């Protein structure tokens, strides 16, 4: 899970919701991935999907039996489906996602007895730490958003003042602030207490998934 957390920090550095995944077989790390749907212009670019694709390429097989997937956030339905198709033996996740989690938080895709493959799921591993990473990301984003709004109000006031006093010279400087992740995946997670993962992965949903 520590390796998945490190991958999540790569997502943060890229301005994406910090979710990371690592796929292992025994003691061998086959692949890793981090959440980056915005940068990749790809709604499916969740950490789990990236790790699964890389692993399949590495072993030259779309089936990955005997492999385990470690991910810092509970997988969504999309990722759960890919995990089952790849025949992953076990999933271990950190923070729970009360908005889009498909391992029991919203639905339990892996508990359906009608499916032809059954993946073992272990949740809540390093949940506090994984949840804290997501919470800090969204807290920083809210802070930046407040500062941007305050700056915009100040600039609007300066412009208004200049129009009211034509003789006065007012210099206005604007800054463009880009949102780091699409806000579709809410700031989720977590039974650990994250606020809404609606902004999370696909901006992949603890709550403040992809």
């Amino acid at each position: 899970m520590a390796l998945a957390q490190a991958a999540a920090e790569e997502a943060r550095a890229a301005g994406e919701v910090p979710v990371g995944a690592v796929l292992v077989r025994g003691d061998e790390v086959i692949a890793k991935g981090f959440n980056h749907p915005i940068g990749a212009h790809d709604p499916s670019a969740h950490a789990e999907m990236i790790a699964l694709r890389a692993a399949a390429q590495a072993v030259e097989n779309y089936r990955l039996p005997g492999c385990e997937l470690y991910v810092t956030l509970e997988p969504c339905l999309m990722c759960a489906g890919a995990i089952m198709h790849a025949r992953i033996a076990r999933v271990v996740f950190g923070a729970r996602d009360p908005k889009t989690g498909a391992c029991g938080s919203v639905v339990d895709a892996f508990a359906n007895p009608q499916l032809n493959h059954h993946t073992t799921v272990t949740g809540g591993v390093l949940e506090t730490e994984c949840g804290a990473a997501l919470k800090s990301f969204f807290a920083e984003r809210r802070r930046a958003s407040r500062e941007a709004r305050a700056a915009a109000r100040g600039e609007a006031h300066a412009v208004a003042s200049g129009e009211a006093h034509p003789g006065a010279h007012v210099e206005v400087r604007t800054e463009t602030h880009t949102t780091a992740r699409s806000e579709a995946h809410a700031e989720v997670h977590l039974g650990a207490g994250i606020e809404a993962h609606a902004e999370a992965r696909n901006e992949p949903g603890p709550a403040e998934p992809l």
Side-chain angles (χ1 to χ4, degrees):
M1 186 61 81
L3 293 176
Q5 289 177 298
E9 289 307 305
E10 293 185 57
R12 183 194 297 274
E16 306 269 3
V17 173
V19 179
V22 172
L23 199 144
V24 303
R25 182 166 54 193
D27 294 329
E28 178 187 6
V29 174
I30 300 177
K32 68 176 183 176
F34 62 85
N35 189 57
H36 63 287
I38 294 178
H41 306 297
D42 179 0
S44 71
H46 289 189
E48 303 96 314
M49 301 294 286
I50 301 303
L52 288 170
R53 289 168 184 159
Q57 291 295 315
V59 302
E60 298 184 333
N61 193 341
Y62 76 109
R63 302 293 198 196
L64 301 167
C67 293
E68 298 183 342
L69 180 70
Y70 290 78
V71 58
T72 58
L73 177 65
E74 181 179 359
C76 68
L77 271 172
M78 173 184 70
C79 294
I83 287 166
M84 286 187 277
H85 279 295
R87 302 295 191 263
I88 299 300
R90 181 178 180 230
V91 170
V92 180
F93 70 84
R96 300 180 190 280
D97 185 346
K99 298 294 183 181
T100 63
C103 297
S105 291
V106 178
V107 296
D108 194 343
F110 298 100
N112 191 328
Q114 294 179 293
L115 295 173
N116 65 347
H117 176 73
H118 299 284
T119 297
T120 300
V121 178
T122 301
V125 175
L126 296 183
E127 182 172 10
T128 299
E129 293 86 343
C130 293
L134 288 157
K135 289 173 68 176
S136 66
F137 174 83
F138 288 112
E140 173 58 25
R141 175 187 246 174
R142 289 193 296 272
R143 183 195 64 75
S145 179
R146 286 194 299 270
E147 291 181 353
R149 288 196 299 269
R153 285 195 297 270
E155 291 165 1
H157 177 71
V159 170
S161 297
E163 292 175 349
H165 303 86
H169 175 68
V170 180
E171 181 178 333
V172 179
R173 181 176 60 186
T174 60
E175 297 180 4
T176 301
H177 298 271
T178 311
T179 305
R181 250 208 191 212
S182 129
E183 300 185 0
H185 198 188
E187 305 173 12
V188 64
H189 307 45
L190 318 171
I194 298 187
E195 299 166 5
H197 198 175
E199 302 179 16
R201 308 222 213 185
N202 292 324
E203 282 197 58
E208 212 183 310
L210 344 272

